[in-house]
Amino acid sequence: MKLGKSKNKSKAAKLIIDNKTYNLPIYNSTEGESVIDISKLHSQANIFTYDPGFTSTASCESKITFIDGEKGILRYRGYDIEDLANKSDFIEVVNLLIYGDLPNKKQLKKYKNLISRHTLLHEQIINFFQGFRRDAHPMAMMVGVMGALSSFYQDSLDINDAHQRQEATRRIVAKSATIGAMSYKYSIGQSFVSPKNSLSFSENFLHMCFSNSAENYKISPLLAKAMDTIFILHADHEQNASTSTVRLAGSSGANPFACIAAGVSSLWGPAHGGANQAALEMLEEIGSSKNIHKFIKKAKNKNDPFKLMGFGHRVYKNYDPRAKILKSICQKVLKHVGIKNDPILKLAMDLESIALKDKYFIEKKLYPNVDFYSGIILRAIGFPPEMFTVIFAIARTAGWTAQWTEMTEDPIQKIGRPRQLYTGKKSLIYGKNRSKKNTR
Ligand code: CMC
C-alpha cells in the first residue's frame, strides 16, 4: 500500500496572520494524535513554524511503531511489546518490523537462514579494527566499522533497487552483532570469536562475546532469553533522535550503511542510548540508599546539570512498558547468576520508590525508562558498562533499517531540510567594525 493514501483528511485548522486566514488540513492517525499539515504554509504565508526539539512536530508518516505515552503503551506493527517479549524472538521481530506482518513458519525459517548467512565480516575488516586504540569506547568502533561496511559491500548500496535494499538491511542486522562482539573483544585484548550460525541471534552474540580460544562459553537458556528480550525491547521506538537521524541522513539518498552509522552516533549520547551506561554509573556513584535524598535534591536543582539517569522520557508520561518488563527479568537473571542480594538492584529499587513519591517527579511525570534496569541485567550477564549502548545499537538496527526502508519506499519522500529563526547579524561591510581586543 502506498504511503500517503491512508491520510484521513477530516477537519482543517485555521491560522490567522495579519487578518488573513489560512486553512491547514488536519489528518487523523489510526490511533493517537492527529497532525496539522503546515507543508504549504511557507509558500502561502511566507512564515515558518518554530519547534526546537520537535516537541510538537510529526516529521513523517509511519506504520511501524505506536506509542501512547500517557497510558504507557508500545506496539510494533500493532502487537503489544509485552506479547512480543513473551512469545516472539528477536529475528521474528526484525522481520515483523521490516515487512509489516508476522511471518509464517516457513518464511521465518527462510529469513533466519538469510540473516545468519550474513553474520561473517569481510576479512579485511579485521585489519580495520587494528587501527583503533585498545582503550577506544566500543561505540567509537561501532560508528566507524558500521560506516566502513559501505566500502566492503558495494553490491547493496543502490537504494533504488529493492533487492539491494533488502540485502543491506539483512547485512546491517546480522553484522551489527558481530561488530559489537568484536569491539568488545578488541577492547579487552582477546582474539575475535567467529559467529556460529547454528545458534540463535542472541545465543550467537553471547558466544562471540564470552567464548575464547581456551574455553567454550556454555550458553545458559535463561540468559539467552534475557538477552533476546533486551534486543526485542530496544528494537524500535518510532521517531526518536537516532531514528530521525537515520531518516534525515537517508533523505539525501545516502547509502544504508552510512545512514545507520549516523544513527549509531546519535544513539551514543547520554540523553538517548548512552543513558544505560550513565544510569549504572550514577547508581555506583550514589553508592548507598542513605545518599538517595542528596542525589534527588541535586536532580531537582535547576542550577545543577545532574539528572536522574534512566528517568524521564519525551513521550512516556507513565511507566515505560519496557522498564516494567526489564524490572521483572532483573530478579530472575540475578538469581540465576548467583547474586542473592545485589546492592545495586536494591539501590535502584529504593531510588525508584523514593523518586516516584516525590512531588517534583510526580508533577513532571518522570518514571523509570528502559535504561534504568537494563544495565543491571547486562552487568549480571557479564558485560561492562561500555557495552550497554553497543547492545542497544545492535537491537535498534532492526528499527533503523525498517524506518529507513519505509522512508526510501515512500513516494512523497523528499530531502529533509528544516529552516531556522535567524537571530544573527544583518549585512556588514567587510573590514569595518573589526574587533580591537585580543580576547579570543
Ligand atoms: N531528572 C531530573 N529532572 C528531569 C529528568 C531527570 N531524569 N528528566 C526530565 N527532568 C525535568 C527537566 O529538567 C524539565 O524540568 P523543567 O520543566 O523544570 O525545565 C522537565 O523534567 C521536562 O524535561 P525535559 O528535559 O524538557 O524533557 P525532554 O523530553 O526534553 O527530555 C529526556 C527527555 C529523556 C532527555 C530527559 O528526561 C532526560 O534527560 N532523562 C535522563 C536521561 C535518560 O534516562 N535518557 C534515556 C531516555 S529513554 C531511552 C532512549 O530513548 O534512548
Side-chain angles (χ1 to χ4, degrees), residues 271-273 275 302 307-308 310-311 313-314 360 364 369 371:
H272 193 6
K302 272 228 154 283
K307 281 192 176 177
L308 272 197
F311 253 78
H313 199 275
R314 169 66 59 82
Y360 173 95
K364 295 190 187 299
N369 61 47
D371 294 317

Side-chain angles (χ1 to χ4, degrees), residues 62-103:
S62 180
K63 293 180 169 52
I64 301 175
T65 290
F66 172 73
I67 305 173
D68 183 328
E70 292 297 327
K71 294 191 185 134
I73 290 172
L74 168 62
R75 294 192 202 115
Y76 299 159
R77 300 283 191 184
Y79 294 97
D80 273 326
I81 193 68
E82 289 84 1
D83 244 13
L84 293 171
N86 288 330
K87 299 177 190 156
S88 186
D89 65 52
F90 179 62
I91 295 302
E92 186 178 52
V93 166
V94 174
N95 190 282
L96 170 70
L97 286 168
I98 291 182
Y99 294 99
D101 297 311
L102 279 174

